[in-house]
Amino acid sequence: MLLTGKTIVVTGGNSGIGEAIVLAAAAEGANVVIDYVAHPEETTALIAQVEAAGGRAVGVRADVSKVADVQTMIRTAVETYGRLDVLVNNAGIETRTSVLETTEDDFDTVMAVNLKSAFFGTQAAARQFVAQGGGGLILTVSSVHEDWPMPGNAAYCVSKGGIRMLTRTAGVELGPHGIRVVNIAPGAVATPINASTESDPLKMKALDGAIPLGRMAEPAEIADVVVFLASGRAGYMTATTVVVDGGIMQGSVGL
Ligand code: BGC
């Protein structure tokens, strides 16, 4: 197993990509902390699934858009398992609103859940890594839209662009402490965030047609990359983004 005995905290861990990361990390022997803000019953079911497969997981209800909650989440992980090895800043939302439509509330919520959470999660994890010694790993899940405009999803793109720069800046600052910061940029993934697209056959046809591999990713295909990055086989990677997008970002109209 690749992650035996490592403590890994996954924000937004009870659905979508986060849920797949929880399952993959637990299957590789990690001690998992599942952060969630809603649907406690899904966290309970996920813990039962992990334990039935012989793994270890606990749930922590923490609203990662609030700094105090982020700090409590990290403290709980350390109290439960004795140390922290990996934080995955995964929680994210989108409003699918354009520059013209986005309200102040849309903007503040997206920035708080996607970017503020990752910033202060990185800070809380890094402080813990410095205190315990020996370095550590901070992973963040952004999107191809950290770099690539998505018309009609403006605040989301801005937040993901911020994550890209957070990864690079924090990676540079924290390198001397042996702390690595790596960002994963998925393309389209079959998760609740894409439910409206998946329920519309025309939109799905257009989306699949834009992806060189011809299909959305399964959440487990993103989780596999997280396992690799956390495994010790990626020890020289930091301050950078790993794109996992089936080629969508190279998009060509082929006219
Ligand atoms: C967005 C999805 C979008 C996908 C591909 C993701 O980051 O959350 O809404 O379908 O990127 O464009």
Side-chain angles (χ1 to χ4, degrees):
M1 291 202 280
L2 292 169
L3 307 180
T4 306
K6 290 192 181 187
T7 301
I8 175 166
V9 177
V10 184
T11 72
N14 71 351
S15 77
I17 294 172
E19 179 181 355
I21 294 170
V22 165
L23 290 170
E28 293 293 344
N31 300 319
V32 185
V33 176
I34 306 169
D35 157 72
Y36 67 99
V37 71
H39 301 295
E41 69 291 351
E42 290 181 7
T43 306
T44 306
L46 187 54
I47 293 171
Q49 196 181 341
V50 165
E51 288 177 346
R56 295 177 76 187
V58 295
V60 178
R61 193 192 170 284
D63 176 351
V64 289
S65 69
K66 300 196 167 62
V67 178
D69 277 29
V70 169
Q71 291 167 344
T72 303
M73 174 185 77
I74 297 296
R75 200 168 48 243
T76 305
V78 174
E79 281 166 8
T80 307
Y81 294 123
R83 57 178 288 112
L84 177 70
D85 296 285
V86 184
L87 169 67
V88 187
N89 290 308
N90 164 75
I93 55 167
E94 63 184 27
T95 52
R96 297 238 179 153
T97 51
S98 68
V99 170
L100 288 174
E101 296 157 341
T102 299
T103 64
E104 182 177 4
D105 191 48
D106 290 335
F107 183 87
D108 286 347
T109 307
V110 169
M111 296 304 275
V113 175
N114 296 4
L115 183 57
K116 183 182 171 192
S117 67
F119 187 96
F120 287 101
T122 297
Q123 181 185 73
R127 285 178 175 169
Q128 175 59 29
F129 293 145
V130 170
Q132 73 190 19
L137 175 64
I138 298 160
L139 299 176
T140 295
V141 180
S142 70
S143 163
V144 288
H145 300 297
E146 67 171 40
D147 232 356
W148 193 45
M150 181 173 180
N153 211 1
Y156 179 81
C157 292
V158 172
S159 73
K160 297 297 182 176
I163 287 173
R164 176 171 190 264
M165 190 47 96
L166 168 65
T167 302
R168 295 163 71 194
T169 307
V172 170
E173 282 188 9
L174 299 171
H177 296 280
I179 299 168
R180 294 186 300 113
V181 188
V182 183
N183 188 23
I184 297 156
V189 186
T191 71
I193 212 168
N194 275 309
S196 68
T197 306
E198 286 184 89
S199 65
D200 181 334
L202 281 180
K203 279 192 190 163
M204 273 310 287
K205 196 162 180 265
L207 180 59
D208 287 346
I211 303 170
L213 289 185
R215 61 172 179 83
M216 289 175 127
E218 290 304 323
E221 294 177 298
I222 310 303
D224 283 342
V225 178
V226 169
V227 169
F228 162 68
L229 290 170
S231 69
R233 299 285 171 88
Y236 203 60
M237 295 181 73
T238 196
T240 194
T241 293
V242 179
V243 177
V244 190
D245 72 341
I248 193 174
M249 237 210 299
Q250 312 310 322
S252 135
V253 287
L255 294 175

